[in-house]
Amino acid sequence: MSDSGPDLVGGMRSWRWYLSRVMRLFLRWFRLCPQRGRRKRQSTVFVSLVISLTSSVVIIVYLCMLPVILNTYPLHWILWHLCYGHWNLLMVVFHYYKATTTHPGAPPQEKSDIPTVTICKKCIVPKPARTHHCSICNRCILKMDHHCPWLNNCVGHFNHRYFFSFCLYMTIGCIYCSISAKEMFLDAYDAIESYYQTPAPAYTHQERMVHKSLIYLWVLTSSVTFALGALTLWHAVLITTGETSVERHINRKEKKRLKLKGKVFRNPYHHGKIHNWKMFFAVEKPSHWLTRVLLPSSHLPHGDGLMWDCPKYRNNTMAI
């Protein structure tokens, strides 16, 4: 069957034709990727999935939810949805872009006067405190937290704030969409149930697409709220205690080891709950909570990732 057959409607190709063409191009690109870059290729697929799902939600909000808000809501609620929704979208897009494109940080390859803890057995270079080797990136990462396939990047010293902010604002955005679309979702669900009645209601094709889109939106955002919300809460706990995911695992074992010796483990990078958050967001004065946390900001994190200040009360051990 040629491309100019049934897929042509009034001289224009249908959405099915465009979808099939995009899928064929995507699969062709997928096969052409080198085998040695399989992990990178998989991570690229994850990034594409994040962008596709987020874009689909934004499109449905603009095409299905926004017209209802503009036509039926009071003026003050319309202004609130327009301002809050676009601010939330801006924060999600900005922090995801920065998290994926910002280098997490790596120790210098040449000899230097920077204090080091040990030598990396794989890189064969000095490894500063809080630095760990990533087997996927095949390099040492400053203050490594984990390698995130959804970013196609490691989460380390220079992009940890971007990663957490993305998770936080994406979770808040999903909660916002789930709550805002709840009534629309219930109406769409009732409408879809009525499809199977005899006789079936005379819904147009466009109305049926709107019903299905609203159900997809609510199910997706509600699911992401619980999944990503749990991850965001876990990282919030780590930030509060001044740890990374890697350090939590190491500190847990060190705590058990010292407990057997009758000693108490103290995390050498715990500066107090509030101060840990200030250091994480690089907040130096009260106005920075607005300009550096609630608004997009590309400021550098606290410190250089090579040397770390430890509280004076530390007297037992140090996590590396």
Side-chain angles (χ1 to χ4, degrees):
M1 184 179 296
S2 66
D3 289 341
S4 59
D7 281 332
L8 285 175
V9 179
M12 298 181 64
R13 293 184 174 91
S14 68
W15 65 270
R16 293 185 181 86
W17 184 89
Y18 286 106
L19 180 60
S20 63
R21 183 55 60 94
V22 170
M23 291 300 297
R24 277 183 283 180
L25 291 175
F26 179 77
L27 291 174
R28 185 181 302 172
W29 167 83
F30 193 79
R31 288 194 295 266
L32 290 176
C33 289
Q35 290 297 321
R36 64 183 181 180
R38 182 174 297 176
R39 286 182 176 176
K40 282 288 184 180
R41 183 178 66 188
Q42 292 173 346
S43 296
T44 304
V45 173
F46 283 125
V47 172
S48 301
L49 186 61
V50 172
I51 296 174
S52 300
L53 293 176
T54 305
S55 300
S56 67
V57 170
V58 174
I59 291 172
I60 293 173
V61 168
Y62 272 101
L63 295 181
C64 301
M65 286 183 58
L66 192 57
V68 176
I69 292 174
L70 295 176
N71 293 326
T72 61
Y73 283 31
L75 179 60
H76 64 280
W77 278 114
I78 293 176
L79 294 176
W80 187 87
H81 280 288
L82 289 176
C83 294
Y84 177 81
H86 286 94
W87 167 79
N88 204 148
L89 177 61
L90 173 64
M91 297 300 285
V92 168
V93 173
F94 172 81
H95 286 104
Y96 187 72
Y97 173 78
K98 295 295 289 186
T100 55
T101 58
T102 302
H103 194 287
Q109 300 297 308
E110 64 280 355
K111 292 183 178 180
S112 63
D113 297 332
I114 298 173
T116 57
V117 175
T118 183
I119 300 295
C120 179
K121 297 179 181 179
K122 297 182 180 179
C123 296
I124 316 298
V125 295
K127 191 166 66 172
R130 312 191 80 176
T131 299
H132 300 278
H133 185 87
C134 176
S135 58
I136 298 177
C137 296
N138 195 27
R139 63 188 179 191
C140 284
I141 302 297
L142 298 178
K143 193 195 169 189
M144 178 180 173
D145 188 273
H146 69 287
H147 183 92
C148 181
W150 301 102
L151 302 179
N152 193 21
N153 198 7
C154 260
V155 176
H157 178 64
F158 289 101
N159 67 344
H160 193 180
R161 175 177 67 87
Y162 296 129
F163 164 77
F164 177 78
S165 296
F166 163 72
C167 292
L168 177 63
Y169 286 113
M170 179 64 85
T171 301
I172 295 174
C174 288
I175 294 174
Y176 163 72
C177 289
S178 298
I179 296 175
S180 300
K182 180 183 177 182
E183 295 300 327
M184 300 180 195
F185 161 76
L186 295 175
D187 292 339
Y189 184 81
D190 292 337
I192 288 182
E193 279 195 330
S194 68
Y195 292 174
Y196 306 99
Q197 295 177 358
T198 305
Y203 289 116
T204 64
H205 176 71
Q206 182 178 356
E207 289 174 333
R208 290 173 180 264
M209 290 299 296
V210 170
H211 296 157
K212 295 176 182 178
S213 297
L214 288 172
I215 289 179
Y216 163 82
L217 168 72
W218 194 86
V219 171
L220 177 62
T221 55
S222 299
S223 302
V224 173
T225 295
F226 287 102
L228 189 59
L231 178 65
T232 304
L233 183 61
W234 166 248
H235 279 277
V237 172
L238 293 177
I239 295 170
T240 303
T241 57
E243 297 173 296
T244 63
S245 299
V246 177
E247 290 171 351
R248 171 55 68 95
H249 176 69
I250 296 174
N251 292 348
R252 187 174 297 170
K253 294 194 298 183
E254 186 70 5
K255 185 177 181 180
K256 292 180 180 179
R257 186 183 69 85
L258 290 176
K259 187 176 181 180
L260 295 176
K261 296 183 178 181
K263 298 182 178 180
V264 177
F265 173 78
R266 291 182 182 272
N267 176 19
Y269 308 114
H270 181 41
H271 296 262
K273 297 178 181 179
I274 302 299
H275 196 62
N276 286 341
W277 282 96
K278 289 182 178 180
M279 293 179 62
F280 179 79
F281 285 113
V283 171
E284 299 172 357
K285 52 185 180 180
S287 61
H288 285 168
W289 288 108
L290 172 64
T291 59
R292 294 189 172 186
V293 180
L294 297 179
L295 292 175
S297 175
S298 299
H299 67 277
L300 294 175
H302 177 81
D304 57 5
L306 298 172
M307 301 178 64
W308 300 91
D309 296 329
C310 299
K312 297 180 180 180
Y313 61 72
R314 178 182 56 81
N315 55 17
N316 284 320
T317 186
M318 175 177 288
I320 60 174

